[in-house]
Amino acid sequence: MLVPSYDEEVSVIRKTLLSAALQEYPKMRVVLLIDDNPIQKNPEAREKLEATKKLIQEITNLLQEPRAHFEHVLRVF
């Protein structure tokens, strides 16, 4: 699933990525396409871009434990 983003609020992207990641499709991959200018001169825009980039690891960490649990349960089943 491709999630495009151009100058979106970090909270909106977070909710969208979580919603996408929690869909029940086998072997689905969620990809965030950040289309913001990579060279931001405005400090606020630069901070927002960095926060957006950090979302990937944040959501991966958040879902890591439940994923491991359900993979284990599936193997046992």
Side-chain angles (χ1 to χ4, degrees), residues 23-54:
Q23 297 300 308
E24 295 185 26
Y25 291 100
K27 299 183 182 189
M28 183 182 65
R29 184 174 181 188
V30 178
V31 177
L32 175 62
L33 172 63
I34 303 171
D35 200 25
D36 297 21
N37 183 351
I39 302 170
Q40 295 285 345
K41 295 179 182 176
N42 179 332
E44 292 171 357
R46 191 173 30 246
E47 287 176 21
K48 188 165 103 175
L49 179 58
E50 290 306 312
T52 299
K53 290 178 182 180
K54 290 178 182 177

Side-chain angles (χ1 to χ4, degrees), residues 1-8 13 16-17 31-36:
M1 178 178 292
L2 179 62
V3 178
S5 169
Y6 176 76
D7 196 33
E8 295 287 342
I13 300 169
T16 303
L17 290 174
V31 177
L32 175 62
L33 172 63
I34 303 171
D35 200 25
D36 297 21

Side-chain angles (χ1 to χ4, degrees), residues 10 13-22 30 32 52 54-66:
V10 176
I13 300 169
R14 180 182 291 110
K15 289 175 189 174
T16 303
L17 290 174
L18 282 170
S19 179
L22 295 173
V30 178
L32 175 62
T52 299
K54 290 178 182 177
L55 279 177
I56 304 301
Q57 192 60 49
E58 175 187 321
I59 291 173
T60 299
N61 292 342
L62 178 67
L63 298 176
Q64 188 172 10
E65 185 178 333

